[in-house]
Amino acid sequence: MSTNKPKHIAIYGKGGIGKSTTTSNISAALAEAGHRVIQIGCDPKSDSTTILRGGEDLPTVLDSLRDSGRPTIADVSAIGFGGVLCIEAGGPVPGVGCAGRGINAAVDLLHELKLFEEFKPDYVLYDVLGDVVCGGFAVPIRNGIAESAFVVTSSDFMAIFAANNLFKAISKYAPSGGARLGGVIANSIQTPYASALIDDFASRTGTNVVGYVPRSLTVAQSELYGQTVIEAAPASEQADVYRQLARHIAGDHPVSIPKPLNAPALKQWAKQWGDRVFGGAAERRLVEVV
């Protein structure tokens, strides 16, 4: 068992961007390396830890609070691949209440139950929805729960837009004890310009890219089995990408306070990239015709 203080890390990203897949594979890689890991899903869909658990159902903290009033750790957790302790915060009854507040309630309960003292993790990963950084979803970075945060983005504008909003939240709370940014994870890299676009966005906002995760059929195949790539295809190049990310997170990675772009600057930046991408495509088509 670990005798060191656990490192708490929040991983944010727009819904559908692949943050849960990324987080679960990082958790699996950390566990594979011999670390004790807890992953806490902070998304109302409650599917953060699915591929760590073979697709099995897991009662959420909020559902258990509503049903029994005082659940135990055993009621709301399951051991997944490599011994990762999986927990889903859950959300409110559809159409009622604020999903973000559920994170606060879940985190409070886990502390009351002395989860971290009992399990003695080396790493606690919070997988947090990042489309809208309301007060509830900002809990891990606002209340000093997480020491650092990573933002998952692709080269799509709405993913960049969400990342920029997350930078705004981090820059607001970091000076008063909130989490600082550990870096950007570039996910679903497929087009030739994707890496350059994300690199440029990171440069403009005073951040850095800590890893590039290519779009891969291996990920899709692994998820069909209800598994992480680390479990389903441990010898694959994709698995090594996640292991590299895990090593970066496990190390003494530098943190910073990002400098988000204001709305006009972000729109202008996006337009410039639109001109570059579509201009280049038009030039290539012209060459092909000639």
Side-chain angles (χ1 to χ4, degrees):
M1 289 188 178
S2 172
T3 57
N4 297 322
K5 181 181 177 182
K7 184 181 285 188
H8 292 252
I9 295 166
I11 299 181
Y12 280 82
K14 178 183 177 296
I17 201 62
K19 64 175 175 49
S20 294
T21 297
T22 302
T23 305
S24 294
N25 275 284
I26 291 172
S27 289
L30 288 170
E32 180 189 59
H35 300 294
R36 291 177 65 82
V37 183
I38 298 175
Q39 181 169 320
I40 302 174
C42 301
D43 188 319
K45 296 193 302 298
S46 308
D47 59 355
S48 169
T49 62
T50 299
I51 58 173
L52 285 166
R53 300 179 286 100
E56 296 296 325
D57 290 336
L58 175 64
T60 72
V61 173
L62 287 189
D63 282 345
S64 298
L65 280 170
R66 282 190 290 264
D67 295 341
S68 62
R70 181 67 179 180
T72 66
I73 291 298
D75 293 329
V76 296
S77 67
I79 298 295
F81 172 78
V84 176
L85 187 68
C86 302
I87 297 171
E88 298 283 353
V93 175
V96 180
C98 169
R101 276 195 212 122
I103 299 172
N104 213 0
V107 170
D108 286 346
L109 175 68
L110 297 178
H111 278 285
E112 288 174 19
L113 296 175
K114 299 188 182 302
L115 167 68
F116 307 116
E117 292 86 347
E118 293 292 331
F119 191 76
K120 293 181 172 60
D122 300 304
Y123 298 94
V124 182
L125 272 58
Y126 300 83
D127 173 18
V128 195
L129 181 67
D131 289 83
V132 180
V133 194
C134 72
F137 289 118
V139 162
I141 58 173
R142 185 188 68 203
N143 291 4
I145 294 171
E147 300 151 31
S148 60
F150 290 83
V151 174
V152 180
T153 186
S154 70
S155 60
D156 294 340
F157 176 72
M158 291 312 298
I160 294 288
F161 181 85
N164 194 63
N165 278 342
L166 288 162
F167 292 171
K168 291 178 182 178
I170 293 170
S171 65
K172 175 179 175 63
Y173 296 121
S176 57
R180 299 196 172 206
L181 184 71
V184 174
I185 298 172
N187 193 47
S188 197
I189 300 301
Q190 185 176 21
T191 60
Y193 66 86
S195 295
L197 185 151
I198 297 172
D199 285 344
D200 187 41
F201 171 68
S203 176
R204 300 287 184 100
T205 53
T207 62
N208 64 303
V209 179
V210 300
Y212 303 87
V213 183
R215 190 174 184 85
S216 171
L217 183 61
T218 305
V219 175
Q221 290 173 324
S222 300
E223 291 188 340
L224 288 172
Y225 291 114
Q227 297 177 345
T228 62
V229 174
I230 300 296
E231 180 179 6
S236 66
E237 292 183 6
Q238 193 77 6
D240 286 338
V241 170
Y242 293 122
R243 290 186 184 107
Q244 186 175 358
L245 277 173
R247 285 193 294 270
H248 179 86
I249 287 175
D252 293 324
H253 54 263
V255 293
S256 63
I257 299 178
K259 300 172 184 175
L261 301 175
N262 60 34
L266 182 62
K267 290 177 182 177
Q268 181 61 28
W269 173 84
K271 184 179 183 302
Q272 290 171 351
W273 266 97
D275 290 341
R276 290 174 64 177
V277 172
F278 286 105
E283 288 172 7
R284 287 193 296 274
R285 284 197 298 271
L286 179 60
V287 170
E288 289 171 2
V289 170
V290 173

